[in-house]
Each structure stands twice: as C-alpha cells, then as structure tokens.
Amino acid sequence: METETRMMTEVQQLHAGFLAPDPAARPMMRWWWFGPDVVREDLLRDLDEMDAAGIGGVECSFVYPMGSESDSFGSPSFLEDVGFAAGVAVDRGLRFDVTLGSGWPYGGPHIDETTASRRLHWEREEVLMAAQRLPIPQTWPSDEFIAGYIGEGTRWEPPTSCVQLEVEDGELIIPAGHGPRVILLAISRLSGQTLKRASKGAEGWVLDHMNPAAAQSHIDAVAEPLVAAAGVDRITTVFCDSLEVFNADYSASVPAEFAARRGYDPLPKLWQLTLTDGTGAAFQADYHRTLTELVETNFIQVIGDWARAKGLKFRIQCYGQPPVTISSYRHADAFEGEGWGWDVITACRWASSAGQLYGKDVISSETWTWNHSPSFRSTPLDLLGEAHDHLLMGINQFVGHGWPTSPRPEPEAPGGVAELGRVFYASAALDGRNAWWEAAPELWRTLHRLSWLMRQGRRLSQVGIYLPARDISAGFAAAGRVDLYKECRLHIGDALPHAIRTAGLDFDLFDDDAVALLDPATFPLVVLPRASDVPAATRAWLRRVEQAGGVVLDLGGTAGLGTVVTDPAVVPELLPSSVEAPVLIHSGAATGAAQPGSTPSDDNQTVAVTTRAYGGVRIHFIANTGQETAEVGLQLRARLDQVRGSEDESEQFLERWDPTTGEVSAVRRVRGIDRLTLQAYEAAVLIEHGDRTRLTVAPGADGQTLDAAEQDAAERTLSIGDWLVRFDDQTQSQAIELPHRWEQDPARRLYSGTATYSAELQIPSTARRVTLDLGPALAHELEDPEGAGLMEASFSAKVLPPVGAVAKVVLDGVDQGFLWKTPYSLDLTHGVTPGQNHQLQLIVSNVTSHRLATDTGIPRLVAESQESFGARFGIQTLDLALADVASGLLGKPALRIT
C-alpha cells in the first residue's frame, strides 16, 4: 500500500485523503456541564450521539448551575464524573480536551488579594497653594499606593506636566505653588472582577495574568486535579479561553520589571498614562509593551511549560485584556480564534496569522458562538455559512459552540409536552434535540472534508498588514480598555481588509516580534496602516522587504517608509506586477463573463477565496458570503500586468470537488478567466494542477463547465404536480398546494418535527439526466437579533430557502440524500428509469425553536438558578424564538431533464 501511495500523483493523493479524511479533522463540540450537575447516562448518550453524527470530540467546559441543585466544582464526585466522561470519549475514538477552570477567565476561590487581577486607579484632587502634608488615602480594601504627582491646572483643565511627589511616613509632601494645582494619585486596586459564568464552588477572583504565583496557584488548585481526574493520556489539549480581564493594567512587579526591560524607571512618568492627546505616547507604548511581556512570561509560558511537561498541548485564544499581541501565541502549542467576518480583522484572523508566522498547520476557532440566536433557530445552512466564513480566514478546526449537557425529559412532562431541557445563555444548541438532526451527519461530514483539505500544504498570503502596537496602545487611555486586538481592528478599519479579500488576495497580520524570524520575501506587499512609532528593528526589516523586491505601502503617510497611499481600495492594485497571485477575482460583466483586462474585484462585495499550495497543486476554496447569487471571473496564477485571453489554453487543469460526497464533478483546462456562479452561501472547491491524466476522471471532462449553475442547452424543466403531505402525528395524507408554510396553519404554527411530502414523477423516455430542484434561496432580511436585545451580533443566512429546514429525498422507498444547502438540487439519474413513473417523497424537518418558544422549563430553570446561586448568567432573548422562522416546502420543486 505504501508503494502504491508513493506512485500516486499529488492530486491523486490529495483526492484519496479528501474521500477518506483523517478523523482528527472532524468538528468538535464545546461540551457544557451546568452546575456541575451531570448524570452519567446523559453523558453517555451525548457522546454516543456525537460519535454517530460524525463529531470528533469534546472540549469539556464547566459553567454555571441551571437549576436549584448542583455538585461542587472540584469535589471528588465531580472529578470522578470527569474521569468517566474522558474514558467513554476515548473508548469511542473521540478527542477529549478540558478547560482548565470553570467559567472564564481563570481564577476561583484559591485566588486571594496577592494573586488577583489588578488595575491602575487614579485619584484626582485640587490642592491649595500652600506647602502641606497630606495622608495617603485608602478608599477601598486592598488598595496599594504606587505614587503621587502634582501639576499646574484644575480637574477641568488637567495639567500638561507633572512631577512625582515625595512620600514620608505615609504622607505626601506637597510643595508650595503659585496657582491652581492638581494632584494625581496612582493606586493599585483589585480589578474587582470575579469569574464569569462560574460553577458552584468555583466562585472567586480572576487571577493576575502577570503574576507567576497566580498561575502556579491555579495549576495547583485546578489544573492538576482536573488533568489527574481525566487522565493525562486521554487528553489532547488543555484550553484557555480569551483573556477577558477588564482593565487589567497593573501588577505589583510592573515597576521593577519595566525598569529591567525598558532601561529606565517608570514611576516619574507613570502619570502620562492618563493623557489622551498623544503627548505621552512613547511612555504609554513602553508601559503596555511591558504588560504584554509579563503576560507571556508569567502566564502563557507558565501554563504552557506545565502542560508540555505532562506531554499535553496548551491551546489558547490569545487576545483581550491584559494586552497580548499576535506573537504572544508562540508560547502556547495550539492557536484558536473566534468570530465571523471574512473581510475584516477578527480574532480568527488574529489566530490564523499567528499560525502562519509560527508554523502551525491547524488553527481552531470557537464557531457558532451566536449562530442564529436564540438556541434552536439555527439551520444547517446557517451553520455551513458561518463555517465557510471561518475557512476563508484560515481556520481548519471547528470547535462548535456548542453542546449543552441536559436531561431529555419524556413526553409525559407537565402539560403533556416534553420540556427541552438546558440551553446555554449564548449560541446554538447543536445536539440531537434539533428536529433536523437526521441530516446532521452530512453537515459534519462536509465540514470534516473541508477542514482536512484546508490543512494540506500551506496557505498562500500575498499581503502583510503590520500591527502598529505602539501607536495603538497610545489610544488605550481614551478607549478605556487595554485590548490590543479590539483596538487593532478599530485602528486598521474595515476598508483595507475588504479591498484585499474581494480582489481575491489574502493577508496576514504581523507584529514587531515576528520580524525577528520573518523572511523579508514572505509578503510581496506590506501595508503600514497609520503607523508612526515603528521600532528600528522593524524599520530595518521593511527596508529588506524592498531590497527583496517587495512593495511597502505607508497607508496614512505617517511612517516615513515606502510609498504613501491614502485610499485603502487601491492597495490590491499595487501588488508588484511581477508577482503571480494564486487567484484574482473579477466581477461578472453584463454579458455574464468577466472581461480580460478588467480590474480585479471591481464591484465584487461577497465572494472571497483562500488558496493553499500542496506541492505543485493549488487548492482554492471560494465562497459566496452574501444573500444574492454572485457571478465572478477567476483568473488563476495571475499577474496584474497581463491577462491571458480566454481562448488561450494551458497545461494547467482545474477540477471541482464536492465536499459533501468527495466526488469530482468537473475537470477541464485552465482558461484565461473562468466564470463561476455561486448561489447565496454556496462554496466551491477548485483544485488546480498539471496532471493531464486527470482528464479521464469526470464524464465530459475538458469542456465541462465548472459552474454548477450553468445548464445544458437541451435541458428543460418539468413541474411536479399533485402534492400530498402527512405530518408525523397523522395517519392520512392530505392534498396541498405549494408553497406550503406550516406557520400559516394555526394547528401547525408551533410544530417542530417532520412531515412527508409525496408526489408522482413522470420521467420522459428521452431523459438522460434527471435533477430534482427545489428552487432558489431568496434574499430575505432577517429581524436583527442584536437590535432586539441580544448581547452580540448573530450570524444567520439571510435568505428564505425553498425548504425549511432540510428535506430527505426518498425515491421509490430508497434514500437518495438530503437537501439543506444551496443549490437545493439533487441528481436522481441513477435512481430513475426513463419512460417510467416513480414515487417521490420529501421528508421535511424544521427547526426546534417552536418548542423553545413555548417551553416553560427553561424560564423555570433560570429562576431556580438565580434564586439559589444569584444572577450568574442572562438567558437569550427567547421572544425571538419564532422570528423569521419558515417551515415546510416553501418553493415549487421541479425536474430538470437533459
């Protein structure tokens, strides 16, 4: 077998893996344990359901109680349950990861005043002109005085310059003055932040990420017992969520560490942290750089070294507060992001850029965090659409957010209707309670293939965007937070990444630490977005970029480097003309085809591509992220200074692969500009190579269109009439007219489940190919969940599909497959006989949000939890459960006959 593999061409090897991808690439689920209050039978059921559906493992996460009773986090019985779950998961071949704590960030009852997170607090008071001595005030327990300053001005006209005051016997020595003066007192104060969403028994302060004693305390009290309970040989990674320690900008060691790292005493200048006019920018940059280094050394490295000593990998979402940068990831083993937004700066892009810089092939994301909220409104199309978004950002491991542990009450519950059970306060509930769950294996299998494929080779990125951390940190005082990632997104803005992505190019962020190991030839185009305080080492590296033939753009004209550019939209056009881009995207012209010589992107707003190089093979994943059908032209291995004519032929070939089936649907020679039409939220996998033997792989190759929407000239459409429907709680079918929306029937307005639609198909004797087409997905603006009360923006496919939500296709009693994504069509050729009649059934399943809308159990569980454990969480806006929900057969299915 090994000899056969060596004899296979690269594209053959790639396709063999695509057909049977490595199980390690299967989607995972964040597995919420509420309380912790779990029953082993429920844990066993959950893991069996995941295994059967094609989910690859769990990340065990311990959160708030949902009810009046709970075990305690860290108790012997809790740890025994963790060990049981880990054993069951591994026995089933499932990956088992564990979050090192409860809720987030890290912390708990083991953290005291010496190890809790701290922040700088400033007291401002005016003082008289006379010399005096003032006692150092303490206004809050655990306050620690750092330094005092005085300057000329008032509280409303702040001083522009201050000097540090002397301290003697616990008193401030105030010298005589000549006019109004203000004193500033710098005080180290506990941040006051306790764990969010904590389990019973896990309550306590958030730890100080800049204090190694705090990290060690957490290891001893939480990490060691958890890992021992699960079994170190059963765990793949230990996990740390994003750093959400609000305003954590101080630690006791900061003055000494600052002096050692920066070479001067920070205390005389500390007052400059209060300035918002830019005059204290240099000191502010030095100060916040010190905080970054302390988090890296005293938290990420401490936890990472502990994990590696046990043979474990430390996985982290490395962004938030205290301020960490992209290169801070390098002290961990596995990098993770979160959030959708293919054409902006997201935490996923932050993580995938770190992976590019530091050689990580697998980058995970916390996926579907707020997908079509509230819970149970998500359709498979919603989940796939958001997953496409993450893939476009360089993500290739999905950690679904998530799977709630919950009893599943029987139908004999009070009122005769089964209560749903527990749901998380945010996100989709991605478990077997979804009415469409029978189609879930096909969804997870599709994402499994895509995740595996997007791990092969290396991602190609043509543009490097510099992260001007020193400039950004100077705005922390005005922003009121020390979050380098969020301020980076605001500083760079959306126009630059959008212009790059819609042109077909890709980008990565890089920072000052990365240039120490980054080849100057990595990016042919480097952009400095409004950067002025650029360190000498980075400036020297940028000069080497130009020497290597790259172009450096000074966007904003403040860096004094490279070519000054004011409009982000022109950046893609400034790629060096000699550089061959993997793909350039041209918008469709009025005739339906991009024209040679047209400007990349033009008015394309929704289509993007990410490309990976696998030896001599190029893997192109291209997706339409919008609600309308999009037509674009793809120019492969393109240069801006030349476009091959559409009649020119090449010895490069292009295949289209189906991620749901793994099959090759088209093979043809690469042309000058290839047309591609993608329906709303549709994606295509295009494989580019030079192996001419592949022309025999697909029927009609070398001339067959790559465009799945393009039809043969001899094709005709036949309508299907006389439909019947039978709901699962009925014994008889009834005639209906299409479209048929369940919510319009008062008796079905609150129905979650399935219904079987049936009709007779008459297949013409001349038919060579028969395709069932449910119709298009129509653009539809959904009710804005964020505006209606959700805490975060919620991803959803903004379309009215032809079926709500999935349809299983059955022909003469034989399953043919599922329809749940665009295009809603299925080839029935092998299941029909020309000239004969066949019985078609469409078994339609909707979403479970109808049950959510009427569920009395969830509000009761929330009330019980708050009465027993306080307000540890706020449930999603359940009033939106039925907003925009459309169930049933919503289009008019037809047969396309060739």
Side-chain angles (χ1 to χ4, degrees):
M1 178 64 182
E2 184 177 345
T3 302
E4 292 178 1
T5 301
R6 286 201 299 267
M7 293 177 63
M8 295 171 67
T9 64
E10 287 175 331
V11 69
Q12 288 173 333
Q13 292 177 23
L14 194 65
H15 190 239
F18 190 64
L19 286 169
D22 184 346
R26 291 184 295 175
M28 293 176 58
M29 284 293 163
R30 181 169 292 180
W31 196 22
W32 290 300
W33 289 25
F34 297 97
D37 175 27
V38 295
V39 176
R40 293 191 177 185
E41 288 78 6
D42 294 334
L43 301 179
L44 184 61
R45 180 209 60 229
D46 285 355
L47 293 169
D48 281 340
E49 280 189 0
M50 292 185 209
D51 187 30
I55 292 168
V58 296
E59 172 199 291
C60 220
S61 182
F62 316 104
V63 294
Y64 52 84
M66 197 167 182
S68 58
E69 301 293 334
S70 179
D71 196 357
S72 291
F73 181 80
S75 71
S77 54
F78 160 73
L79 294 174
E80 289 171 2
D81 286 335
V82 172
F84 169 80
V88 170
V90 171
D91 286 346
R92 282 151 179 74
L94 299 176
R95 173 173 160 180
F96 190 86
D97 289 7
V98 63
T99 302
L100 294 180
S102 173
W104 60 91
Y106 284 0
H110 52 285
I111 299 299
D112 60 21
E113 295 176 357
T114 67
T115 52
S117 62
R118 288 188 166 267
R119 63 184 175 90
L120 275 173
H121 173 73
W122 293 94
E123 291 282 351
R124 293 175 173 82
E125 294 294 342
E126 295 183 32
V127 293
L128 297 174
M129 290 185 291
Q132 55 194 296
R133 297 170 67 100
L134 295 176
I136 296 173
Q138 183 175 15
T139 58
W140 195 256
S142 305
D143 277 2
E144 296 175 358
F145 174 77
I146 301 170
Y149 306 88
I150 192 167
E152 295 183 357
T154 69
R155 296 187 65 183
W156 314 115
E157 298 172 311
T160 57
S161 179
C162 288
V163 295
Q164 186 176 353
L165 293 170
E166 294 183 11
V167 178
E168 184 179 277
D169 298 328
E171 292 183 323
L172 295 165
I173 309 302
I174 311 296
H178 304 286
R181 296 180 299 166
V182 174
I183 60 169
L184 294 176
L185 302 183
I187 296 169
S188 169
R189 176 169 289 177
L190 292 177
S191 72
Q193 185 175 350
T194 59
L195 260 64
K196 296 191 288 184
R197 324 304 180 203
S199 298
K200 176 187 176 184
E203 306 89 346
W205 298 120
V206 169
L207 62 77
D208 179 356
H209 288 70
M210 293 173 278
N211 183 347
Q216 190 60 52
S217 176
H218 193 74
I219 288 171
D220 296 340
V222 177
E224 285 282 4
L226 270 176
V227 168
V232 68
D233 57 330
R234 296 166 169 169
I235 299 173
T236 303
T237 73
V238 289
F239 176 64
C240 176
D241 211 322
S242 52
L243 306 184
E244 299 178 22
V245 194
F246 302 135
N247 299 314
D249 60 356
Y250 194 75
S251 186
S253 65
V254 165
E257 290 283 359
F258 182 104
R261 294 168 185 267
R262 308 278 86 86
Y264 64 96
D265 184 357
L267 290 183
K269 295 177 176 287
L270 198 64
W271 66 274
Q272 293 183 14
L273 294 177
T274 66
L275 298 175
T276 59
D277 60 358
T279 55
F283 173 74
Q284 291 174 3
D286 283 351
Y287 182 85
H288 293 112
R289 172 62 187 177
T290 302
L291 300 189
T292 298
E293 293 174 357
L294 291 179
V295 177
E296 293 175 351
T297 303
N298 297 336
F299 177 72
I300 304 173
Q301 274 190 281
V302 170
I303 302 292
D305 288 346
W306 166 83
R308 288 184 285 272
K310 291 182 172 294
L312 298 172
K313 292 182 178 180
F314 180 39
R315 176 165 54 93
I316 191 172
Q317 296 178 355
C318 197
Y319 39 86
Q321 302 179 75
V324 281
T325 186
I326 296 167
S327 287
S328 300
Y329 271 108
R330 71 190 185 278
H331 302 290
D333 308 292
F335 304 173
E336 182 163 299
E338 64 182 309
W340 47 276
W342 60 276
D343 61 342
V344 294
I345 305 296
T346 65
C348 281
R349 178 64 67 173
W350 189 267
S352 70
S353 294
Q356 291 278 89
L357 297 173
Y358 294 99
K360 298 297 181 182
D361 295 326
V362 178
I363 307 297
S364 60
S365 70
E366 174 189 306
T367 323
W368 309 302
T369 306
W370 289 93
N371 189 275
H372 213 155
S373 297
S375 297
F376 296 114
R377 261 208 315 172
S378 294
T379 68
L381 180 62
D382 292 324
L383 302 174
L384 181 70
E386 183 172 345
H388 286 168
D389 197 292
H390 287 237
L391 290 165
L392 288 171
M393 293 184 286
I395 297 301
N396 50 24
Q397 173 68 67
F398 299 111
V399 182
H401 194 284
W403 189 294
T405 56
S406 176
R408 307 276 180 86
E410 296 298 325
E412 301 305 321
V417 178
E419 295 174 349
L420 277 170
R422 299 166 181 164
V423 297
F424 195 55
Y425 84 98
S427 84
L430 303 176
D431 58 37
R433 291 174 289 179
N434 286 280
W436 50 260
W437 192 250
E438 188 180 4
E442 190 166 292
L443 166 66
W444 305 133
R445 184 165 59 248
T446 300
L447 296 182
H448 179 192
R449 278 203 177 91
L450 289 172
S451 296
W452 177 86
L453 186 65
M454 302 314 290
R455 297 179 182 193
Q456 308 313 304
R458 60 184 178 86
R459 180 164 61 85
L460 301 182
S461 186
Q462 303 77 46
V463 184
I465 300 180
Y466 174 60
L467 170 62
R470 293 183 62 84
D471 294 296
I472 292 171
S473 64
F476 284 165
R481 61 187 178 194
V482 289
D483 189 327
L484 185 57
Y485 154 65
K486 288 186 177 178
E487 294 307 307
C488 163
R489 178 169 179 168
L490 293 173
H491 181 93
I492 294 175
D494 296 345
L496 173 62
H498 180 77
I500 293 169
R501 300 300 279 126
T502 53
L505 304 179
D506 209 345
F507 72 90
D508 282 301
L509 300 163
F510 71 96
D511 58 15
D512 293 315
D513 289 310
V515 301
L517 53 85
L518 198 58
D519 186 336
T522 300
F523 304 115
L525 186 62
V526 173
V527 184
L528 309 176
R530 295 191 292 120
S532 57
D533 190 355
V534 181
T538 301
R539 288 178 175 270
W541 181 84
L542 290 167
R543 286 191 288 272
R544 291 197 296 274
V545 169
E546 293 178 315
Q547 292 166 3
V551 171
V552 175
L553 302 180
D554 186 349
L555 185 58
T558 55
L561 293 162
T563 302
V564 174
V565 175
T566 57
D567 182 5
V570 305
V571 166
E573 300 173 23
L574 299 178
L575 188 73
S577 60
S578 60
V579 171
E580 186 181 82
V583 182
L584 290 179
I585 295 177
H586 302 260
S587 65
T591 59
Q595 301 301 308
S598 60
T599 302
S601 82
D602 293 324
D603 60 352
N604 169 47
Q605 298 297 312
T606 64
V607 176
V609 61
T610 184
T611 299
R612 300 187 71 86
Y614 177 77
V617 178
R618 297 285 180 89
I619 304 165
H620 306 291
F621 175 77
I622 181 167
N624 179 10
T625 65
Q627 63 182 154
E628 303 272 4
T629 295
E631 185 176 284
V632 294
L634 304 180
Q635 182 189 346
L636 305 180
R637 297 182 185 262
R639 284 169 46 183
L640 290 175
D641 62 349
Q642 66 177 175
V643 178
R644 289 192 302 270
S646 59
E647 299 302 318
D648 292 345
E649 290 191 349
S650 160
E651 281 303 306
Q652 286 297 114
F653 304 93
L654 200 59
E655 305 184 14
R656 182 165 181 170
W657 292 0
D658 185 339
T660 300
T661 65
E663 295 176 354
V664 179
S665 62
V667 184
R668 55 168 284 181
R669 283 181 171 84
V670 172
R671 297 171 181 171
I673 294 181
D674 278 293
R675 189 187 73 169
L676 184 66
T677 301
L678 296 171
Q679 293 188 23
Y681 305 103
E682 184 185 1
V685 171
L686 304 180
I687 306 298
E688 180 189 355
H689 58 84
D691 183 0
R692 65 168 34 252
T693 65
R694 297 286 292 176
L695 285 174
T696 63
V697 171
D702 196 21
Q704 180 178 351
T705 179
L706 293 167
D707 191 340
E710 185 173 306
Q711 305 303 323
D712 188 276
E715 184 177 270
R716 60 194 175 109
T717 301
L718 297 180
S719 60
I720 305 172
D722 300 328
W723 284 94
L724 301 174
V725 68
R726 179 182 58 81
F727 287 87
D728 274 4
D729 56 4
Q730 294 176 328
T731 57
Q732 298 293 323
S733 297
Q734 59 184 14
I736 49 97
E737 294 289 333
L738 297 183
H740 181 234
R741 182 169 176 172
W742 302 352
E743 287 80 10
Q744 292 176 344
D745 180 352
R748 296 295 171 186
R749 190 179 66 86
L750 299 175
Y751 178 77
S752 284
T754 62
T756 300
Y757 293 83
S758 55
E760 185 175 72
L761 300 184
Q762 298 177 348
I763 308 300
S765 59
T766 56
R768 295 180 56 194
R769 183 180 181 189
V770 179
T771 302
L772 174 67
D773 189 345
L774 299 190
L778 303 176
H780 176 67
E781 286 299 325
L782 304 178
E783 183 171 339
D784 176 25
E786 188 176 13
L790 281 178
M791 289 176 278
E792 300 284 347
S794 176
F795 183 96
S796 56
K798 296 181 179 181
V799 293
L800 181 66
V803 61
V806 304
K808 181 166 73 171
V809 181
V810 180
L811 196 62
D812 296 334
V814 179
D815 293 355
Q816 302 295 316
F818 290 91
L819 291 171
W820 52 272
K821 60 182 174 65
T822 53
Y824 286 88
S825 60
L826 185 66
D827 191 344
L828 300 181
T829 305
H830 298 294
V832 300
T833 301
Q836 294 188 10
N837 294 348
H838 297 272
Q839 292 298 316
L840 173 68
Q841 290 180 317
L842 298 179
I843 303 175
V844 174
S845 302
N846 66 344
V847 292
T848 303
S849 56
H850 305 74
R851 289 182 58 193
L852 181 67
T854 58
D855 188 86
T856 59
I858 293 174
R860 187 187 70 251
L861 290 173
V862 173
E864 289 176 357
S865 175
Q866 293 184 350
E867 182 177 351
S868 299
F869 303 104
R872 302 190 183 206
F873 66 101
I875 203 65
Q876 297 180 60
T877 310
L878 301 183
D879 292 344
L880 287 177
L882 292 179
D884 296 304
V885 173
S887 308
L889 207 48
L890 308 173
K892 293 185 177 182
L895 293 181
R896 297 204 308 266
I897 307 295
T898 301

